[in-house]
Amino acid sequence: MLTDRAGNGAGNIAPDPGHSAHHPLRTGGDMLQLVSPEGERISHPEFDLWIKDVGDEQLGSLYEDMTVIRRIDAAATALQRQGELALWPPLLGQEASQIGSSRSLRDDDFVFPSYRETGVAYVRGAHLSEIAKVWRGNALYSWDPQRINMATPQIIIGSQSLHATGYAMGVQLDGASTAVLGYFGDGATSEGDVSEAMVFAASFQAPVVFFCQNNHWAISEPVRVQSHIQLADRATGFGIPSMRVDGNDVLAVMAATRVALDRARKGGGPTFIEAVTYRMGPHTTADDPTRYRDANELEDWAAKDPILRLRRLLDAKGLLTDELEAQVKAKADAVGAELRASCINMPDPEPLDVFNHVYSSRNPWIERQKDHYSRYLNSFTQTVEEGAL
């Protein structure tokens, strides 16, 4: 729920594209939820308007998206356990946050992700081989950012928030209507980069949306240790409007993201969204969450599973047909098989490829290193040939 600076309810303001740029600041309040864990559709006068176009067919598509990216995640985790990937950052449990937000974007919007936004990359059009190659160790980059308007995954915690703000300031100077969406986790809010990004975004009213997936665990540190207030309330101190939404509710996430993106495009400045979700798997496949997490906590959150929630809504509306189930399963199976095949059959990079794409234009320093390394590699071939003679 949005509130004004004094904490008074602002629910009487009917949000539409004309009002979105003028939403008041939020200073606490309820978490937005449009679908309960039991699959019950909850009406909300402030946000229903923003998802009025999401009909039966669109609900089925969202269900498919979420099921498919869960299959990608499961397949990649299995590939890592089998030695085909060096590492993998699971997204299990965060499907609604990623699909609801990314399906709210326009093609010309630009995304700055962390390392966990596999679902967002899938929606933006990244090839499965591009998603896998970094984690296989075959390349230093993933996809061409300009092709899908999405930066490559950022490993350094929170630094992409600065990149997102800088890009948004550039968009503002260009006079474009593009919005920028930057993703990070709850742990990143403890990093200075995120604070600096919000300072600049607020000062220059940059068209950027800070999308925080609060999955409750920054590796082994619980969010209650990182912050004694709701993360959404931190943004208020920077003068940035914020929303706190149920991150396992795909419709709530979509509504909130649409409000924030529309606000950005119309000159309303930045918005902070805290999507309250849960990391049901490990931080990465190198992590063992059983060492620091209570099994009962995982069980509680499993009951709020985002895909199960949408299934229940579809079932209540009479949309969970055998035909839909078969369609979704076939798509997930096909995508899982494609990911596995593209990973296993991925060609190894050539040794000199490490020098490619370091700079966007010719660089004598890099070329000199490449030449030295090439002659070094050739020396082994010459030694073998001489020995054969």
Side-chain angles (χ1 to χ4, degrees):
M1 179 178 177
L2 293 168
T3 61
D4 62 20
R5 293 175 188 269
N8 300 312
N12 59 330
I13 299 176
D16 57 39
H19 288 129
S20 62
H22 306 291
H23 264 311
L25 290 176
R26 174 194 179 285
T27 58
D30 299 331
M31 179 172 65
L32 174 64
Q33 186 179 88
L34 299 180
V35 181
S36 73
E38 294 73 34
E40 177 188 359
R41 177 69 170 86
I42 303 169
S43 179
H44 196 299
E46 220 180 323
F47 290 94
D48 284 348
L49 181 62
W50 292 93
I51 55 168
K52 65 180 181 180
D53 62 314
V54 181
D56 294 349
E57 184 178 348
Q58 288 74 23
L59 285 175
S61 295
L62 292 171
Y63 175 59
E64 179 181 288
D65 284 341
M66 292 165 64
T67 303
V68 167
I69 67 169
R70 179 167 290 189
R71 177 62 64 85
I72 291 173
D73 189 60
T77 299
L79 285 165
Q80 192 281 329
R81 299 308 189 200
Q82 295 161 8
E84 299 293 345
L85 294 178
L87 188 70
W88 180 254
L91 60 83
L92 181 64
Q94 298 179 220
E95 293 87 357
S97 291
Q98 296 197 15
I99 294 301
S101 58
S102 59
R103 282 300 180 196
S104 302
L105 291 160
R106 291 191 327 207
D107 289 344
D108 64 319
D109 293 332
F110 209 96
V111 178
F112 288 86
S114 73
Y115 46 81
R116 204 182 299 279
E117 277 69 56
T118 304
V120 180
Y122 169 77
V123 167
R124 296 299 279 176
H127 301 147
L128 294 171
S129 60
E130 293 174 325
I131 292 173
K133 66 181 181 180
V134 167
W135 304 109
R136 189 172 172 84
N138 278 43
L140 297 176
Y141 60 95
S142 301
W143 45 79
D144 177 1
Q146 300 304 319
R147 180 175 66 82
I148 64 174
N149 272 14
M150 179 173 178
T152 54
Q154 181 57 255
I155 299 296
I156 301 171
I157 305 299
S159 62
Q160 70 275 11
S161 60
L162 285 170
H163 306 158
T165 298
Y167 192 96
M169 291 170 64
V171 165
Q172 192 176 48
L173 291 172
D174 288 341
S177 63
T178 299
V180 180
L181 186 57
Y183 289 90
F184 48 83
D186 49 287
T189 62
S190 298
E191 294 288 340
D193 284 2
V194 173
S195 293
E196 292 173 12
M198 288 200 285
V199 166
F200 270 85
S203 297
F204 293 94
Q205 289 294 282
V208 59
V209 177
F210 297 110
F211 193 93
C212 174
Q213 293 181 84
N214 176 3
N215 65 18
H216 284 75
W217 289 96
I219 306 184
S220 59
E221 200 71 67
V223 69
R224 65 180 179 273
V225 174
Q226 301 171 62
S227 179
H228 290 213
I229 61 171
Q230 295 172 358
L231 297 181
D233 289 336
R234 285 183 167 184
T236 318
F238 293 92
I240 297 177
S242 67
M243 287 178 277
R244 192 169 191 258
V245 305
D246 186 336
N248 285 8
D249 176 355
V250 68
L251 293 185
V253 171
M254 178 173 283
T257 308
R258 284 179 169 184
V259 169
L261 290 171
D262 190 75
R263 174 189 175 85
R265 296 187 189 109
K266 294 185 174 178
T271 304
F272 185 101
I273 297 175
E274 178 190 356
V276 182
T277 182
Y278 192 77
R279 169 169 59 79
M280 296 176 69
H283 178 73
T284 70
T285 47
D287 172 42
D288 179 9
T290 63
R291 297 178 60 186
Y292 55 80
R293 191 169 66 186
D294 190 334
N296 292 327
E297 180 179 296
L298 179 59
E299 184 179 347
D300 291 342
W301 277 94
K304 305 174 186 177
D305 184 292
I307 296 180
L308 176 60
R309 182 180 308 201
L310 187 53
R311 278 180 58 87
R312 288 170 172 166
L313 176 64
L314 290 168
D315 191 36
K317 293 171 67 68
L319 302 174
L320 194 63
T321 62
D322 291 342
E323 181 182 3
L324 177 62
E325 290 278 48
Q327 171 191 315
V328 171
K329 183 179 184 303
K331 178 69 173 180
D333 288 345
V335 168
E338 182 183 346
L339 174 64
R340 184 172 186 82
S342 65
C343 179
I344 292 176
N345 298 319
M346 192 178 296
D348 292 333
E350 295 296 325
L352 293 178
D353 285 350
V354 70
F355 297 98
N356 298 337
H357 310 298
V358 176
Y359 289 96
S360 60
S361 58
R362 181 177 176 273
N363 184 283
W365 184 64
I366 291 294
E367 289 183 354
R368 183 165 61 252
Q369 289 188 65
K370 185 175 182 179
D371 175 63
H372 288 174
Y373 190 51
S374 177
R375 286 189 278 119
Y376 169 72
L377 293 175
N378 289 337
S379 70
F380 291 96
T381 304
Q382 294 169 359
T383 301
V384 170
E385 292 175 348
E386 290 170 359
L389 293 174

